[in-house]
Amino acid sequence: MARALLRARLPFRGVTVPRVPVLYGRIPVSPSANYANLRSFMHSRRFNQELSAATELNIDMDEEKVTFTGWGLKPVVVSYIELRDRCKCPLCVDRYSKQRNFRLSDIPLGIKPRSITPNGDVFEVTWKSDVPGYDSSHVSRFSREQLKKPWKHSSARSTTYVKRHRYLWNRDLLEYMQPWISYEDYMHDDTKFTRAMRYLSCLGILFLRDIPDSREMVEKIATRIGPLRNTFYGPTWDVRTIPKAKNVAYTNQFLGFHMDLMYMNEAPGYQLLHCLRNSCDGGESLFADTFKTADYMWRNQKRYFEALSNLYIPYEYMHPDHQYSKWRPVFEKGPFSTDGDVKAVNYSPPFQGPLQSVTTGSKLEIAQQKLEMEALNFFANSLERKDQVFELKLEPGECVIFENRRVVHARRQFNTASGERWLAGAYLDSDELLSRFRVLEDANPDAWACGLGQSISVTKRNARENAPRKAREVMEPGEVPQ
């Protein structure tokens, strides 16, 4: 029992070793040292005392809430309304459809437990004045995991997922980590595919190589994850130079950092670009992590961070056959965002409409607008610094998948007289990726836990090999891993 309680997987490592929980203090993380320390500790009086305290659940009830302590957890305070709302028993949630059989508004405001009783690894709750239609035989049961992390059993999991798996990067860190996977492994090896998706969830970017020479491949790659997002460009589309183009992407001009389809009410969550031809001079692809810059601004330029959180920019696409417009904040926070956490970044200068933020012309409004422009200029310049930009020229048979509302992308000018440049593209919605991430983590937790920090392909792309660097999770703009 003790060993089962203490087993924990070290993040991003391929081996499982017993590790003492935080409440017992930190111990060395190397497996040999860990085992030696653990053996001596498990025979100590302090261990037995703390193990007993960790396995007992203490319950303190008052008129409106209950406080849980023990089970190795920090104190957890839950109102009776929220506790009743969390019930997932077969009477409350249909076992097949997973849909609820009661409304939140059905819970009586004065609901109270009749009793809360620990029963092994769960605790059971019987209710006074329960939801109408439920009698005294209704019992709610909750596990330690549900008490500790209710989001793992609810829709709130999707809102916290990006934050939990975020891994910020600059040029040198991405050069070091470079998540490449072969097409065959991606399509046919479930373990390596799971690891690849872990990279994508953490970094917001993933590269594929050795893809068969076919225009149909971009759809196959995309639908390995989920259904395509259809737009007025079609389910898939081509990036090629055409005359009188309605989009600068279909020219050979330099295209600065941007995100796609910001003018739509629901912008795509992820984008794929599969290289079919790229023999022109120029045409290199550039990428940068906007979350990295946003995090730096929150820690070092809070006035600028707050200004961009409150600055709404209009985006538009106005043509005779299609007309779209949408206002978006540069830094978009979610309902559970704290501190400098952002849910998404919205940044696409080529498709920006005119500002309309000044209404009275007061000095206060003008001063605020100037502050917003200073902040936007700082953000743009930070993204474009050489030490923040990861650059490569995609070769035929290679594909990049990236998070559209995190990773900005750009393209250098190219010479069509010297060759041909042809990329096939597709979009996926964020919901599809978040669902895929959760399913893969639940289905293969070992592969998911080992994903970051292990190579997901036998070799990296030869052109991108470099001397080993020690990567760190958090680095300042301009800082090089030592």
Side-chain angles (χ1 to χ4, degrees):
M1 174 183 174
R3 290 185 180 274
L5 175 67
L6 295 175
R7 294 190 70 83
R9 181 167 297 281
L10 295 176
F12 313 137
R13 295 180 182 272
V15 65
T16 302
V17 298
R19 185 175 65 179
V20 177
V22 174
L23 81 102
Y24 301 135
R26 300 185 64 182
I27 61 175
V29 295
S30 65
S32 59
N34 210 342
Y35 277 116
N37 281 272
L38 184 62
R39 278 197 300 270
S40 62
F41 184 71
M42 286 179 63
H43 294 285
S44 70
R45 177 179 299 177
R46 175 174 165 240
F47 169 79
N48 291 322
Q49 292 173 344
E50 294 185 352
L51 179 61
S52 176
T55 55
E56 293 178 358
L57 180 64
N58 300 310
I59 302 167
D60 183 16
M61 300 170 57
D62 65 18
E63 289 299 310
E64 297 181 330
K65 65 183 185 301
V66 57
T67 302
F68 298 98
T69 55
W71 270 2
L73 306 175
K74 296 180 180 179
V76 178
V77 180
V78 186
S79 72
Y80 296 141
I81 293 175
E82 184 177 347
L83 189 63
R84 178 61 182 87
D85 182 58
R86 291 186 189 181
C87 184
K88 300 266 186 183
C89 77
L91 293 177
C92 294
V93 177
D94 186 87
R95 60 182 299 187
Y96 300 108
S97 69
K98 308 300 182 185
Q99 294 174 352
R100 288 169 60 135
N101 295 325
F102 69 97
R103 300 171 299 183
L104 177 59
S105 59
D106 291 335
I107 300 176
L109 297 182
I111 191 170
K112 294 179 183 179
R114 188 185 306 277
S115 65
I116 301 181
T117 308
N119 185 6
D121 290 333
V122 302
F123 65 90
E124 300 177 344
V125 184
T126 60
W127 299 96
K128 295 179 184 176
S129 60
D130 202 349
V131 171
Y134 290 77
D135 57 31
S136 59
S137 65
H138 172 232
V139 179
S140 299
R141 292 178 175 84
F142 302 95
S143 68
R144 177 187 351 214
E145 193 66 19
Q146 284 175 289
L147 184 61
K148 181 180 178 182
K149 296 180 179 179
W151 52 262
K152 289 199 72 173
H153 305 270
S154 70
S155 58
R157 184 178 178 186
S158 64
T159 63
T160 61
Y161 207 86
V162 172
K163 179 180 178 181
R164 292 190 301 114
H165 290 260
R166 184 175 300 167
Y167 201 93
L168 308 179
W169 53 266
N170 61 8
R171 179 194 64 190
D172 291 292
L173 188 56
L174 197 61
E175 282 277 3
Y176 168 76
M177 302 189 77
Q178 260 195 79
W180 286 87
I181 181 171
S182 72
Y183 173 81
E184 286 299 317
D185 287 344
Y186 177 91
M187 294 299 299
H188 305 298
D189 188 317
D190 289 341
T191 297
K192 289 184 177 179
F193 176 75
T194 298
R195 292 176 181 170
M197 291 298 101
R198 176 63 185 272
Y199 268 93
L200 185 58
S201 75
C202 293
L203 300 172
I205 192 166
L206 176 73
F207 298 96
L208 278 72
R209 57 178 175 79
D210 305 328
I211 303 168
D213 184 13
S214 169
R215 172 62 176 74
E216 308 304 318
M217 288 299 104
V218 71
E219 181 173 353
K220 291 188 67 174
I221 294 168
T223 53
R224 171 77 158 110
I225 300 173
L228 295 172
R229 161 72 182 273
N230 200 356
T231 69
F232 66 89
Y233 290 111
T236 63
W237 30 270
D238 297 286
V239 182
R240 309 179 79 169
T241 302
I242 59 176
K244 298 181 180 181
K246 294 182 179 180
N247 189 318
V248 67
Y250 302 145
T251 71
N252 66 340
Q253 303 171 22
F254 171 78
L255 178 57
F257 275 138
H258 66 286
M259 298 169 173
D260 279 19
L261 277 57
M262 288 291 101
Y263 43 77
M264 286 191 162
N265 191 50
E266 297 294 337
Y270 288 76
Q271 181 175 169
L272 294 86
L273 291 172
H274 170 213
C275 181
L276 294 163
R277 307 284 185 272
N278 203 2
S279 56
C280 293
D281 294 332
E284 293 83 2
S285 298
L286 299 88
F287 304 94
D289 185 1
T290 65
F291 285 4
K292 170 70 174 175
T293 300
D295 177 75
Y296 177 80
M297 291 175 66
W298 176 78
R299 288 185 287 113
N300 299 277
Q301 297 284 349
K302 280 191 171 61
R303 288 181 69 238
Y304 286 173
F305 179 89
E306 294 301 330
L308 296 188
S309 299
N310 296 313
L311 172 60
Y312 278 72
I313 291 179
Y315 295 101
E316 60 183 28
Y317 183 91
M318 295 295 174
H319 290 271
D321 47 352
H322 298 287
Q323 298 190 14
Y324 299 90
S325 64
K326 178 69 176 179
W327 288 77
R328 297 183 181 278
V330 180
F331 295 159
E332 185 172 331
K333 298 181 180 181
F336 297 95
S337 294
T338 58
D339 299 330
D341 180 44
V342 294
K343 172 187 175 183
V345 172
N346 303 299
Y347 184 72
S348 192
F351 299 95
Q352 184 176 326
L355 287 177
Q356 302 173 31
S357 56
V358 173
T359 57
T360 66
S362 68
K363 289 185 178 181
L364 185 62
E365 280 190 335
I366 298 298
Q368 178 63 27
Q369 188 176 68
K370 288 182 178 180
L371 173 63
E372 292 167 350
M373 295 307 100
E374 287 178 10
L376 194 59
N377 186 56
F378 182 90
F379 175 70
N381 290 338
S382 298
L383 284 178
E384 295 167 1
R385 285 173 48 160
K386 289 184 178 180
D387 53 0
Q388 299 301 306
V389 179
F390 178 78
E391 178 176 345
L392 82 167
K393 184 170 183 176
L394 287 171
E395 298 176 359
E398 295 178 346
C399 177
V400 58
I401 307 174
F402 57 92
E403 190 173 349
N404 183 50
R405 299 181 68 188
R406 171 182 176 178
V407 177
V408 285
H409 62 292
R411 180 202 64 210
R412 296 202 182 279
Q413 184 176 0
F414 57 93
N415 182 8
T416 54
S418 62
E420 181 184 8
R421 188 178 190 274
W422 177 17
L423 305 180
Y427 295 120
L428 293 168
D429 282 327
S430 293
D431 287 341
E432 305 301 337
L433 272 293
L434 290 173
S435 171
R436 193 64 158 154
F437 294 159
R438 292 192 294 266
V439 168
L440 290 172
E441 182 182 16
D442 291 342
N444 196 343
D446 290 342
W448 186 266
C450 297
L452 203 62
Q454 284 196 5
S455 175
I456 54 175
S457 56
V458 177
T459 58
K460 294 180 181 179
R461 174 183 175 188
N462 291 334
R464 308 306 301 175
E465 288 285 3
N466 47 56
R469 298 187 180 100
K470 182 181 178 183
R472 284 167 43 196
E473 182 171 358
V474 177
M475 292 187 294
E476 305 296 340
E479 184 180 354
V480 179
Q482 300 298 315

